[in-house]
Amino acid sequence: MTNRASLQDIADQLGITKMTVSRYFRSPEKVAPATREKIAQAVKHSGYIHNRAPALMSRALSRTIGVVIPSLSNQVFSALVDGIETITNAESFDILLAHSGYDPKVEERKIEMLLSYQVDGMILCETEHTDRTRTMLKQAGIPVVECMELPEAPIDMVVGLDHKAAAFNAVTRMIASNKQHIVYLAARLDRRTMLRQQGYEQAMWEAGLTPQTVATPFQSSFSQGMKLLQQALDTFDRVDGIFCTNDDLAVGAMQFCKNEGIRVPDDLAVMGYNGLDIGLTMQPKLTSVVTPRQAIGIKSARLLIDVINGKAPSDKLFDLGFSYTAGESLS
Amino acid sequence: MTNRASLQDIADQLGITKMTVSRYFRSPEKVAPATREKIAQAVKHSGYIHNRAPALMSRALSRTIGVVIPSLSNQVFSALVDGIETITNAESFDILLAHSGYDPKVEERKIEMLLSYQVDGMILCETEHTDRTRTMLKQAGIPVVECMELPEAPIDMVVGLDHKAAAFNAVTRMIASNKQHIVYLAARLDRRTMLRQQGYEQAMWEAGLTPQTVATPFQSSFSQGMKLLQQALDTFDRVDGIFCTNDDLAVGAMQFCKNEGIRVPDDLAVMGYNGLDIGLTMQPKLTSVVTPRQAIGIKSARLLIDVINGKAPSDKLFDLGFSYTAGESLS
DNA sequence: AACACCTATGTTACACGTAACATTTTGTTG
DNA sequence: CAACAAAATGTTACGTGTAACATAGGTGTT
C-alpha cells in the first residue's frame, strides 16, 4: 500500500494542524474563508480520499449498513436494494453489499465480514440462519431487519409479506375462475417455496380439491418451467391450471404451452409469483402475485435508520401485503 | 454502538494479554494447547467478532478488494462475481461489492466509498469514468482491473474481450448463412452497445450491405425486444435477420415472432449476445455470442491478487475472446 | 479600560489489533 | 544439573480522524 495523503500531510503542507483540515470536511463553516480556500486547493491537488478506519475504531456510528441478498441476478433483490438506497442516499448512509447464494453458511461468512467493518445495522433477505449467525448478530448489538417474509423466530425486526397467505389467496382466485385441477410448480425448495406450497395446499383442501405438486431441487429457470409443466402433464390425468412458485417457471411453462399448442388460459390457467416485467411481455400477459419489493426495501431501511438514530420503532413486524398484475393468463 | 467484546475483554477474562488472544486467531499453532482451549471457550462464550478497523489503520493489506458492477439483476455480472469469488475465497480475500446503475457519477461515489475502506485493489466493469474517479484511483495507488471490454484509455490493467470484433464476427456469420437484410437491435446506448454496432456496421459494409439500426435508450428487456422488432419490421422494407445487442432483446424478439407466426430462422434469423441460459430454452434455441464472463472474473481476480502480492503481471491486457451457443436461430 | 463573548485554531487523548522485539517458562541434552 | 534451545507469553509502539476541551486574538459594550 502506497502512502495515500493523510489529513496530516495536507496540514503540514499549509502549516496548520490536521484538526482544521478535519473541520474543513466535517463543518466547513467553522473554518475561516481564507483558510478554507487554501485547504480546498491542497485537497484537490493531493487527491485526498477520506479514510474511514479511525472512525471505525472509535465507537462513533459508521453510518453504514450491511445488506445481504441471496442472488445477484434476480430482479426481486435488485428492486429491494433500489428501495433501500432511496433511503440510505437521503440519509447519507452507505451500504455494504454481499450475496449468499441462498446458502446459510455463506450468509454466515458474509455477515461476519460485514460486522468486522462495524456496520451500524443489517438487512437480511433470508430467514434461515445458522446458530452462529444468530449469536454473532446478538453479540454485535446492532438492529437487524429480516425482509421479504415473516419468519417464525425473528432475530429483531421484520418487513415482508405472508407468502402462505398470498399463495392461498392466489390459488383461491384460480379456483374461483372455475379451475379444479391445479398443480403447484416448485423449484429450489427453500422456505419461501414451502410456504407458498402450504398456502396452495390449504386453498385446495378448503375447496375440496386434491393438491398435486411437481418440484425440482434445481434453481428456477425458464427451462425448468418447461420441464416441470411437461412432467405435470405426464404425471396427472387432468391439469387445467398451474400455480408457479415464481415468474421464471411461469414464463417457461407458458413458452411450453405456445410450443405445444396449449391455449392459455382456456386449456390451462397460469398464475405466476413476483410480478416481474417479463410476465407482462407474454401473450397473454401473465397474471402474477406482486410482491412489493421496492416498498419493502424502503420500509426496511427507514426502520433500520430510525432505530440506529435512537428512535423506538412503532412495531417490530410490518406486513406489506401483495397484489396482482393485470394479467390475462387466468381466465 | 454497544460495546462488542474486544480482544482485551477476552484476555482480561483469562488473565492473559490480548496479544496471545490475537495469536490464537492469526497463528493458533503458536499458542499452547491448554491456552488455546481456554481461549476457544471464552471466544465462543463472548461471541467475539473480529474488528477490522485497527488493521485498516496500519499500512498492512486489508485483504479486501472492491468490485463495482453496473447492475444487480444481470446474469452477466453475477457470473463475473462468481468467477471473482472462486479466486478470492481460495486466497482468503474478501470482496466489497457496489453497483453503479451504469452511471459514472454513481460509480465515482461508490469507488470513493470503497477506497475509504482501504481496499487493496479494485475491479471495475465499466470503462467510462469521471475525471475524479481516475484521479482518485491514481492517488490511491492500488492496482485496478477494468473488465468486460478493452478500453481505449485503460486506468491500469484490463481483462475482457473485443466487442466490436465479436459483433463483426457474428454478423459476418449471419451474412454467410445467406441473410442480407440484417437489422441491429440496440438498447441502453452505452459503450458496449456502440462497439457492437460498429462491428455490425463494418461487417455489413464489407459485405456490400447497408446497416440499419433500431434503438431505444431504455434498459434492455423482453418487452423492448418485442417493440424493437416490431419497429424494425415497420420501418424497413425487408428484414431477414436481426442482430440483438443482448439476449434479453433477442428472446423478446423471438417471442414476438412466435406471436406473429414469423418462422425462425427461415423468415428471420436471430443472433443474440451473451449466451444466457434463457436463450437455450427457446424453440428454436437462440444462437448467441458467448462472452466468457466467469473466466473474466477468474482472470481479473487472479491478476489483481498477484499484483497485490507483489508479482509483476506478464501483461496489462488480456483478451479472452468469445464463442457461440449451439443455437438454431440462425439457419 | 475592563469585561464578556465570539471566532478561529490548536492540544490532547482515544479507539484496538498486531508486528517486532523482549522476556519468561519449559524442555532437552551431555 | 548446568546450559542452551525452543516454546510460550508479554511489552511497546503504531496508525489517523475527531470529540472535547483549551487558548489566542479580536470585537463590542458599558
Side-chain angles (χ1 to χ4, degrees), chain A residues 16-17 19-20 23 30-32 35 57 59:
Chain A
I16 58 181
T17 62
M19 194 60 228
T20 305
R23 262 190 282 259
K30 290 186 187 161
V31 177
T35 317
M57 293 248 316
R59 273 115 166 214

Side-chain angles (χ1 to χ4, degrees), chain A residues 189-247:
Chain A
L189 305 166
D190 62 353
R191 230 184 78 89
R192 284 190 277 272
T193 304
M194 299 302 186
L195 287 168
R196 285 172 211 149
Q197 178 162 0
Q198 286 169 25
Y200 157 77
E201 289 180 349
Q202 192 185 333
M204 293 294 277
W205 290 127
E206 288 195 7
L209 303 170
T210 308
Q212 294 175 310
T213 292
V214 288
T216 168
F218 295 111
Q219 174 105 12
S220 289
S221 66
F222 301 97
S223 40
Q224 283 300 334
M226 300 176 91
K227 280 188 209 155
L228 286 173
L229 176 51
Q230 172 81 72
Q231 190 187 325
L233 295 174
D234 289 351
T235 311
F236 305 117
D237 284 351
R238 282 187 57 190
V239 179
D240 61 6
I242 52 173
F243 173 53
C244 303
T245 201
N246 62 44
D247 285 352

Side-chain angles (χ1 to χ4, degrees), chain B residues 17 19-20 23 31-32 35 57:
Chain B
T17 62
M19 195 60 229
T20 304
R23 260 189 285 259
V31 177
T35 316
M57 293 248 315

